[in-house]
């Protein structure tokens, strides 16, 4: 049995809050195999929403209140709520949930059910079969929602996830504790992109569950202008701190240096009138030496090859795996010489490297040369 805390931030939600608590009082007992709690995080609302929570908490022992002295934004409220739920309420899972009935209380159990299947990050998705956004929304609202989500999908390269901007999610506490909640990249709606991106990049076992996003029953929409620009900032920062993306950037830099070595050698061999296969082949080998050295001391320094014997053996293996790149460039380059002429070599070379050689090399480097060693799980 997991202890689940539903975190609900509020600011001037008095009317919605009273109704929501009563609806939750009907829905939560339907969840039999987990211990359910609700934590309201109120930013000292002028309409005194927190008074409603305090009064209802006398009736419902599963209801809790965290009162913030001032309003700092949705992301900040969720971050404080997550930490309180984990540290004080000892939550195994925390759920993000809106106070305004845009998330349906009767769909909470759909996300909770995925805990029993071993999932650590459960996403309430509007953009998979069975999910929906309000038909009442105007074109502009729908456009911003769809485009904002697509920007996040492409920016984070998470094409298998269909809804990255949803605010209805269930997260295992262990996953959240890996994220620096004290220094979120955004205190507005874009916080959700950071948490989703870093949770999945961190290896969380995730799944999407269809939800039906509703229109507000009372109050004003919290949609903020310029949210896409804020999201772009968050996407950039998430990828900047993504270890896999940093490694790929390093790999690209090393590859560019290798390209310069390759191109310079090819130009020299062309002036010396080397035969086509010899010119292409020798220039590739010089680039291979450059790539091996720089990748070993920089790109893959966590798996750095040390010791003269190991370096020699790995360099020979590197050459063997690079034979594919040698064959690719030599064959493609020789065909280019026939089709376009020797004078076109410098124009053709970038295309051969970017679209043929680099993808092959990265695959070989990560799977063979600097393959990360794995250790058996404890107790296995």
């Amino acid at each position: 049995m997991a202890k689940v805390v539903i975190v609900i931030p509020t600011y001037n939600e008095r009317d919605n809050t009273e109704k929501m608590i009563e609806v939750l009082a009907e829905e939560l007992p339907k969840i039999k195999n987990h211990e359910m709690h609700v934590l309201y995080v109120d930013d000292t609302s002028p309409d005194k929403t927190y008074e409603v929570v305090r009064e209802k908490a006398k009736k419902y022992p599963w209801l809790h209140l965290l009162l913030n002295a001032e309003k700092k934004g949705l992301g900040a409220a969720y971050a404080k709520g997550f930490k309180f739920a984990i540290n004080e309420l000892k939550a195994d899972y925390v759920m993000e949930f809106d106070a305004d009935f845009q998330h349906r209380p009767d769909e909470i159990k759909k996300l909770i059910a995925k805990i029993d299947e071993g999932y650590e990050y459960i996403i309430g998705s509007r953009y998979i079969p069975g999910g929906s956004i309000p038909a009442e929304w105007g074109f502009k609202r729908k456009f911003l929602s769809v485009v904002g989500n697509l920007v996040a999908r492409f920016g984070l390269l998470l094409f298998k996830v269909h809804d990255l901007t949803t605010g209805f999610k269930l997260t295992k506490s262990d996953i959240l504790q890996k994220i620096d909640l004290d220094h979120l990249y955004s205190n507005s709606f874009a916080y959700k992109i950071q948490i989703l991106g870093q949770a999945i990049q961190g290896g969380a076992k995730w799944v999407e569950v269809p939800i039906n996003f509703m229109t507000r029953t009372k109050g004003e929409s919290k949609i903020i202008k310029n949210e896409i620009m804020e999201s772009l900032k968050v996407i950039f920062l998430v990828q900047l701190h993504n270890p896999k993306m940093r490694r790929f950037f390093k790999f690209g830099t090393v590859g560019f240096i290798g390209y310069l070595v390759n191109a310079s050698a090819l130009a020299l061999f062309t002036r010396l009138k080397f035969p086509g296969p010899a010119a292409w082949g020798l220039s590739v080998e010089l680039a291979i030496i450059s790539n091996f050295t720089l990748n070993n001391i920089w790109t893959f320094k966590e798996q750095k090859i040390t010791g003269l014997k190991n370096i020699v053996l790995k360099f020979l293996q590197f050459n063997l795996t690079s034979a594919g790149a040698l064959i690719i460039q030599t064959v493609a380059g020789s065909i280019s010489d026939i089709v376009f002429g020797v004078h076109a070599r410098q124009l053709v070379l970038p295309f051969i490297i970017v679209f043929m050689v680099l993808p092959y090399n990265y695959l070989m480097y990560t799977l063979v040369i600097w393959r990360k060693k794995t250790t058996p799980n404890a107790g296995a």
Side-chain angles (χ1 to χ4, degrees), residues 14 19 27 41 48 81 84 103 144 236 246 253 256 276 293 356:
R14 188 181 183 96
K19 182 180 178 182
E27 289 296 328
V41 183
K48 298 185 178 180
F84 187 88
H103 298 151
L144 288 174
F236 172 77
R246 288 203 303 267
T253 302
F256 178 70
T293 303
M356 298 181 183

Side-chain angles (χ1 to χ4, degrees), residues 280 327-338 341 345 348 352:
W280 288 99
I327 293 170
I328 289 170
Q329 181 165 322
T330 302
V331 172
S334 297
I335 293 173
S336 170
D337 286 350
I338 296 171
R345 283 177 174 175
V348 173
I352 295 175

Side-chain angles (χ1 to χ4, degrees), residues 41-80:
V41 183
D42 188 76
D43 290 338
T44 312
S45 299
D47 72 353
K48 298 185 178 180
T49 299
Y50 52 89
E51 289 185 347
V52 175
V53 182
R54 279 178 178 159
E55 189 62 29
K56 293 289 184 180
K58 297 176 183 178
K59 179 180 179 182
Y60 301 117
W62 44 261
L63 182 61
H64 312 272
L65 172 67
L66 175 60
L67 189 61
N68 292 328
E70 57 183 330
K71 184 179 181 182
K72 292 186 177 180
L74 185 66
Y78 265 121
K80 286 194 71 172

